[in-house]
Amino acid sequence: MTNNTRTVGPFPGPARGLVSVPGDKSLSHRALIFAAMAEGESHLEGLGPGEDIESTRQVLQALGVDITNDVVSSPGIGGWTAPLDDLDCGNSGTTLRLLAGALAGRPFTSTMVGDHSLSRRPMRRLVGPLEILGARVSTSPGGTAPVTVVGGGLRGADVSIAMASAQLRTAFTLAALQGDRPSRVDSAPGFRDHTERFLGPLGLGEMETATRFRVEPGAIPPFRYHVPGDPSSAAFLLAAAAITPGSDLTVQRIALSPGRVGFLDVLEAMGATVDRSITGDEMGEPVGDVRVRHAPLTGCRIQGKLAAAALDELPLLAVVAAFASGVTGVADAAELRAKESDRIASTVAMIRSLGGTAEEAAAGFTITGTGGLSQGRVETDHDHRIAMSAAVAATAAGPVEIGDPDVAAVSWPTFYADLESLWSS
Ligand code: S3P
């Protein structure tokens, strides 16, 4: 239990208006890494402001890439220099896993470390896909960070990954770009396919089936990119609208590829009115506006591909489900236990702390909606998505005390003020 506490809500009345959210976290990591792999100057606009993105920026700088404001000047991945120290990935699993892939092609040794939460997350899963390409990868005896990669001299290979993990697919792909012949990666469906969408139009790969990507070795050219808003951040505001009668909220210019919007599919299945309009495209990523209007909500089942495409939003959907009538069952989501916290345990604890009914399962949880939650205190377990989900519950049920609230800065440093501004404008 922490002494650092923030009290949020309740906020009277509906959430209404037209708002923007910070740049997408997954796309910001990729934009920085792809730009650092490219030889020359890339111009990025709207990078996510969170601490995780700062971790990627610092690791790339430690490899000899110049990043000044939003301009990345790189000698190309061939000119990356061997790190003098361990590479500190902070709280960011995406930084560690994606860069392990890129570094697998470099003819030097790199060791990646992270904070307490990242140091308990599973990393052994990187070993098979990167070693089949010819790198050597080791983890702690428990299969966690530090992760050491001895890279260089990669070949091509085909792998099939059991889980729908975009991080593993991308790690493999960034290594395979440096191989001596084409490679293929396949996995379960429901993953976010940002990497595939970005590389395809550059001639560096192609989707051969709905899940199998062929990687063509080659160099990423420098580029200009305007990072779309983060649908996983927008989800918090849209969920607040979905649970508050009379709400009508639009979030503009967010990433809308199917692997990111499972959350919207679930809101629709629960009965909220959801309108999406695609307004553009950013390097293969559909971008557009999403409007959510409150309507009476009923529980639903979230499993398979839908659970994968809504994975980061499942703690938040547990809050929405508590405001619905009936039962919401989440299955096929064992991977939640390997996130910034054990998100099955931390989600169930959050709902119970606020007077709701929640049961744990091995690979998911069940929420029995009682039409709302009540005030209480939530411990975040150092997990940004738990902190922000608790704040959303607070908008309608508060006041809610949030322990360790500043952890929200991992993805959205101004989150609380931005949420509260929905009611003050
Ligand atoms: C991410 C992929 C997902 C997601 C994470 C970001 C990415 O993880 O949960 O927040 O940017 O590739 P997995 O690949 O482990 O499913």
Side-chain angles (χ1 to χ4, degrees):
M1 174 137 162
T2 168
N3 290 326
N4 184 11
T5 293
R6 181 177 186 118
T7 304
V8 181
F11 303 122
R16 305 179 76 91
L18 176 66
V19 292
S20 303
V21 291
D24 185 70
K25 184 154 84 73
S26 290
L27 290 167
S28 297
H29 284 298
R30 285 165 175 74
L32 281 168
I33 294 169
F34 297 165
M37 292 173 75
E39 182 182 342
E41 209 173 83
S42 293
H43 294 256
L44 312 177
E45 195 184 330
L47 286 167
E51 290 168 357
D52 277 6
I53 301 307
E54 193 51 35
S55 295
T56 288
R57 192 192 300 264
Q58 282 175 14
V59 171
L60 292 171
Q61 284 169 331
L63 293 166
V65 177
D66 183 71
I67 307 177
T68 306
N69 300 321
D70 288 349
V71 180
V72 180
S73 308
S74 176
I77 189 165
W80 287 9
T81 49
L84 301 174
D85 286 310
D86 290 352
L87 299 168
D88 185 358
C89 302
N91 190 248
S92 177
T94 310
T95 305
L96 196 158
R97 295 193 179 118
L98 268 49
L99 281 166
L103 287 165
R106 297 299 81 224
F108 51 70
T109 300
S110 320
T111 296
M112 282 165 285
V113 296
D115 71 5
H116 177 73
S117 154
L118 183 55
S119 299
R120 53 159 280 283
R121 296 178 65 184
M123 295 300 158
R124 197 169 278 141
R125 55 184 62 179
L126 283 166
V127 175
L130 297 182
E131 290 205 335
I132 196 175
L133 292 168
R136 276 189 293 133
V137 181
S138 58
T139 66
S140 77
T144 58
V147 175
T148 296
V149 178
V150 185
L154 300 188
R155 50 186 171 254
D158 295 349
V159 298
S160 186
I161 296 167
M163 57 185 85
S165 170
Q167 291 178 351
L168 280 191
R169 290 178 65 98
T170 303
F172 177 83
T173 299
L174 297 186
L177 281 173
Q178 303 168 71
D180 66 357
R181 56 182 181 271
S183 295
R184 287 181 184 76
V185 57
D186 206 343
S187 74
F191 54 89
R192 55 192 72 194
D193 58 353
H194 304 309
T195 301
E196 293 82 345
R197 286 172 180 272
F198 185 95
L199 295 178
L202 298 175
L204 295 170
E206 192 183 7
M207 290 304 295
E208 293 182 330
T209 68
T211 54
R212 192 174 69 232
F213 186 61
R214 193 186 69 254
V215 187
E216 295 291 343
I220 298 177
F223 57 93
R224 288 180 176 271
Y225 189 62
H226 184 180
V227 183
D230 194 328
S232 299
S233 298
F236 294 105
L237 309 185
L238 296 171
I243 62 174
T244 310
S247 294
D248 181 350
L249 189 73
T250 301
V251 182
Q252 50 189 346
R253 201 181 174 277
I254 59 174
L256 284 177
S257 55
R260 294 301 299 279
V261 294
F263 164 78
L264 295 176
D265 300 335
V266 174
L267 276 192
E268 258 173 335
M270 288 180 146
T273 309
V274 180
D275 299 308
R276 319 167 200 211
S277 66
I278 307 275
T279 54
D281 179 284
E282 274 294 339
M283 318 240 359
E285 183 71 29
V287 176
D289 303 341
V290 175
R291 178 181 183 192
V292 168
R293 280 170 285 172
H294 170 83
L297 303 173
T298 45
C300 71
R301 184 131 188 96
I302 307 170
Q303 60 188 5
K305 190 174 152 183
L306 182 58
L311 198 73
D312 287 352
E313 286 68 65
L314 291 175
L316 176 63
L317 285 166
V319 169
V320 176
F323 282 81
S325 60
V327 174
T328 296
V330 174
D332 306 323
E335 189 56 17
L336 281 178
R337 295 205 184 271
K339 293 295 177 185
E340 286 83 331
S341 67
D342 172 345
R343 283 191 183 150
I344 293 182
S346 52
T347 297
V348 166
M350 166 180 68
I351 298 296
R352 288 185 180 163
S353 304
L354 301 177
T357 305
E359 294 301 328
E360 260 194 52
F365 53 80
T366 302
I367 308 290
T368 304
T370 45
L373 292 169
S374 54
Q375 62 185 63
R377 180 181 170 94
V378 171
E379 301 304 333
T380 61
D381 207 1
H382 208 66
D383 186 330
H384 59 130
R385 299 206 192 278
I386 297 294
M388 295 191 278
S389 300
V392 168
T395 63
V400 170
E401 271 183 32
I402 301 173
D404 194 15
D406 299 342
V407 69
V410 158
S411 56
W412 191 351
T414 56
F415 167 71
Y416 299 102
D418 291 347
L419 180 73
E420 284 161 10
S421 73
L422 293 186
W423 279 269
S424 56
S425 51

